Amino acid sequence: MTIEQNLVKKLRSSNLRPTKQRIEICKVLFDRERTFHFTISDLAKILNLNSKNKISLATIYNTVEILKSKGHLKEISINSDKTFFDTNISNHHHFFNENTNELTDFYDEDISRIKIKKNIPGKKVKSIEVLVKIANSN
Amino acid sequence: MTIEQNLVKKLRSSNLRPTKQRIEICKVLFDRERTFHFTISDLAKILNLNSKNKISLATIYNTVEILKSKGHLKEISINSDKTFFDTNISNHHHFFNENTNELTDFYDEDISRIKIKKNIPGKKVKSIEVLVKIANSN
DNA sequence: TATTACTTTATAACTATTCTAAACTAGTGT
DNA sequence: ACACTAGTTTAGAATAGTTATAAAGTAATA
Ligand SMILES: [Mn+2]
Ligand SMILES: [Mn+2]
Ligand SMILES: [Zn+2]
Ligand SMILES: [Zn+2]
């Protein structure tokens, strides 16, 4: 099955019509080896380079929002200026490079087991995520 | 020493003139038992209730920003809509209540020791913070 | 092909935040 | 007390990210 067929399947399975704009966007998001962390402006920049016929900013916002709502993207808040999105929708941890503003994933196997000792009666834990801020050593 | 004298000292030690606006704001921020987590609109609301002579929104933004730059406040990103600030400037962890949007602190003693096993050559770790999202059990 | 629901788009609206520049005030020296 | 200066406050304008609107276009379905 081609990449494109896969993306069409992904869209259809979420009741989204596989329009050419959505396929373009999904190629950028999901046709890659590693997790992709991006802001809307990152994504718009990439799309406007690669694609011949430009996709409107409104569509980019719409599509990212709908992909998030269907569970294909996750929103990450690191920084108050711009929202990050993540193609890795699992519960996981991040390095944030303060020099480059880049996010990198790491997983439970890369960190000691986390156990919260504090009691929170009447509440349930939805997620536990670690943010490690890093910077160049030099 | 009165609360007010303390705040004046705090401001002066950061080369900030203890104006009546700043003292009003600092009372709200620092004259309390526990850590205060707030957004600018939270703070503005509180100030406009308590204070007879209103403080302009520009001054509230200015003051929070300058207190942050002097190391008396810390900025926290949880949510892309609004920036949170924290009177607890130490490296620490948070519960975020998804029902109420409230932040609560917890500390190293409330969590198992965190050890990052992943190598990040050429980088130094600036902070390691855990965010636990919680919600009502019901 | 006709019908309908969904999608894209340009653009307006909205909201949090920052900037501007004029009026005001606190500190300092006389 | 008065004058001077640097720092502060303020209203309002500007900016930037994001969301809403509504008209034109397109995909699915019969
Ligand atoms: Mn900020
Ligand atoms: Mn959002
Ligand atoms: Zn990630
Ligand atoms: Zn805190």
Side-chain angles (χ1 to χ4, degrees):
Chain A
M1 179 146 40
T2 70
I3 291 143
E4 192 146 331
Q5 284 173 321
N6 256 318
L7 295 174
V8 169
K9 227 171 80 176
K10 182 171 203 146
L11 288 167
R12 283 210 194 286
S13 74
S14 295
N15 288 310
L16 299 173
R17 289 185 182 169
T19 63
K20 67 183 198 307
Q21 291 89 341
R22 282 175 180 168
I23 290 167
E24 276 301 309
I25 291 171
C26 286
K27 268 184 196 158
V28 173
L29 298 183
F30 303 115
D31 179 21
R32 38 176 88 227
E33 294 298 313
R34 306 177 54 199
T35 318
F36 185 37
H37 297 93
F38 64 97
T39 64
I40 294 287
S41 58
D42 293 338
L43 180 54
K45 211 166 294 167
I46 294 168
L47 286 166
N48 289 337
L49 287 180
N50 290 15
S51 177
K52 49 232 86 185
N53 22 11
K54 98 173 207 339
I55 300 174
S56 83
L57 193 55
T59 298
I60 298 172
Y61 272 102
N62 286 345
T63 303
V64 166
E65 192 53 42
I66 206 165
L67 288 172
K68 187 184 97 181
S69 79
K70 299 292 187 177
H72 301 299
L73 289 175
K74 179 172 172 176
E75 191 173 336
I76 313 269
S77 284
I78 294 293
N79 172 5
S80 43
D81 314 349
K82 267 175 190 166
T83 301
F84 283 83
F85 294 90
D86 192 340
T87 56
N88 181 350
I89 56 174
S90 76
N91 197 321
H92 65 284
H93 314 300
H94 289 103
F95 290 111
F96 180 68
N97 184 323
E98 293 189 335
N99 298 111
T100 62
N101 272 28
E102 268 178 319
L103 277 173
T104 323
D105 287 349
F106 69 95
Y107 299 89
D108 286 344
E109 65 254 31
D110 299 314
I111 192 173
S112 52
R113 165 165 292 286
I114 295 171
K115 172 91 183 74
I116 308 292
K117 296 173 187 166
K118 197 171 189 179
N119 262 59
I120 44 166
K123 302 284 181 294
K124 61 167 168 290
V125 170
K126 307 286 284 186
S127 66
I128 300 179
E129 295 188 334
V130 180
L131 177 63
V132 179
K133 293 194 176 167
I134 61 177
N136 295 337
S137 314
N138 72 341
Chain B
M1 180 147 38
T2 71
I3 291 143
E4 192 144 330
Q5 285 172 319
N6 256 317
L7 294 176
V8 169
K9 227 172 78 177
K10 181 171 204 144
L11 288 167
R12 282 209 194 287
S13 74
S14 295
N15 288 310
L16 299 174
R17 288 187 183 170
T19 63
K20 67 184 198 305
Q21 292 90 340
R22 283 175 179 167
I23 288 167
E24 275 302 310
I25 292 171
C26 286
K27 268 184 195 159
V28 173
L29 298 183
F30 303 115
D31 179 21
R32 38 178 86 226
E33 293 298 311
R34 306 177 55 200
T35 319
F36 185 37
H37 297 95
F38 64 97
T39 64
I40 295 287
S41 58
D42 294 337
L43 180 55
K45 211 167 294 167
I46 294 167
L47 286 166
N48 289 337
L49 288 179
N50 291 17
S51 177
K52 48 233 85 186
N53 22 10
K54 98 173 205 344
I55 299 175
S56 82
L57 192 54
T59 297
I60 298 172
Y61 272 102
N62 286 344
T63 303
V64 166
E65 193 53 42
I66 205 164
L67 288 172
K68 186 184 96 181
S69 79
K70 299 292 186 178
H72 302 298
L73 290 174
K74 180 173 171 174
E75 191 173 336
I76 313 270
S77 284
I78 295 295
N79 172 3
S80 46
D81 315 348
K82 265 174 191 166
T83 301
F84 282 83
F85 294 90
D86 192 339
T87 56
N88 182 349
I89 57 175
S90 75
N91 197 320
H92 64 284
H93 315 299
H94 289 104
F95 290 112
F96 180 67
N97 186 323
E98 294 188 336
N99 299 111
T100 62
N101 273 27
E102 267 177 321
L103 276 174
T104 323
D105 287 349
F106 69 96
Y107 299 89
D108 285 344
E109 67 253 30
D110 300 315
I111 191 172
S112 52
R113 166 166 292 285
I114 295 172
K115 172 90 182 76
I116 309 291
K117 295 171 188 166
K118 197 172 189 178
N119 261 59
I120 44 165
K123 302 283 181 293
K124 61 169 169 286
V125 170
K126 307 286 284 187
S127 67
I128 300 179
E129 295 188 332
V130 180
L131 177 63
V132 179
K133 293 193 177 167
I134 61 177
N136 296 336
S137 315
N138 72 344

